[in-house]
Amino acid sequence: MIRGALDNEDPDRLYTVTGGRSRADESVFDMVTLIVSECDPVPGMQSEHIKILRMCRGPLSVVEISSYLDLPVSVVKILLCDLLDTGRITARHPHAARPGGRLPEPETLKKVLVALQNL
């Protein structure tokens, strides 16, 4: 069995990074929520918070941030909650289809699928 980066991560470090918290409010972020920083880092901030604010000057998804920081998504969500609570980031959720909105006809979707497969 191949061990991933998480298996090699020091649990004490993760505990310290999250301040001992193990869960974030799951209703706030999902894997594709886009994060945008609203300010620059300030002296004395936690290093992971600084990294997030710098990398999110343009929109990045939660899963991308997790990958760049090499931290589990659950830990990144906790860090993002800290930043959101202090107004340092904005979370933008992908737009879902509006109720009552028209979706493409199934035949159109089939044509698009065939065209993509032919590429």
Side-chain angles (χ1 to χ4, degrees), residues 7-20:
D7 294 336
N8 297 327
E9 188 68 57
D10 181 12
D12 292 337
R13 178 177 177 270
L14 295 179
Y15 182 86
T16 303
V17 166
T18 62

Side-chain angles (χ1 to χ4, degrees), residues 46-61:
Q46 185 175 337
S47 62
E48 289 80 9
H49 288 154
I50 291 170
K51 290 175 186 175
I52 291 170
L53 289 177
R54 286 185 177 153
M55 75 173 67
C56 291
R57 289 186 174 126
L60 278 179
S61 69

